[in-house]
Amino acid sequence: MTIQKRAVFMLVYFIVMQILIVLSRKLLWVSVCKSGGTTPQGVREKTPELMSESTTGNL
């Protein structure tokens, strides 16, 4: 295998793996939210409140 073919193969492999990672990350996040009894939108709405509590120490 020449160096050019190897480079193309590695690039294609990288792109395919990135697509799979993004899709699996989204599915995993939805599953985590579902098991926590909320939705991804509910988490986004609650994030500012949680961040202010964690930075001020008012738990």
Side-chain angles (χ1 to χ4, degrees):
M1 185 179 262
T2 64
I3 197 78
Q4 289 87 6
K5 287 182 182 179
R6 180 180 258 174
V8 170
F9 174 76
M10 290 174 66
L11 180 64
V12 170
Y13 178 79
F14 177 77
I15 291 170
V16 169
M17 293 306 292
Q18 287 291 34
I19 292 169
L20 291 175
I21 288 169
V22 168
L23 292 174
S24 64
R25 189 180 73 190
K26 286 182 181 182
L27 290 174
L28 182 62
W29 178 243
V30 170
S31 296
V32 167
C33 290
K34 188 176 180 180
S35 69
T38 187
T39 63
Q41 292 80 17
V43 173
R44 277 190 221 106
E45 292 170 0
K46 194 146 178 114
T47 299
E49 177 187 332
L50 295 173
M51 289 301 292
S52 68
E53 288 178 359
S54 67
T55 56
T56 59
N58 298 332
L59 297 175

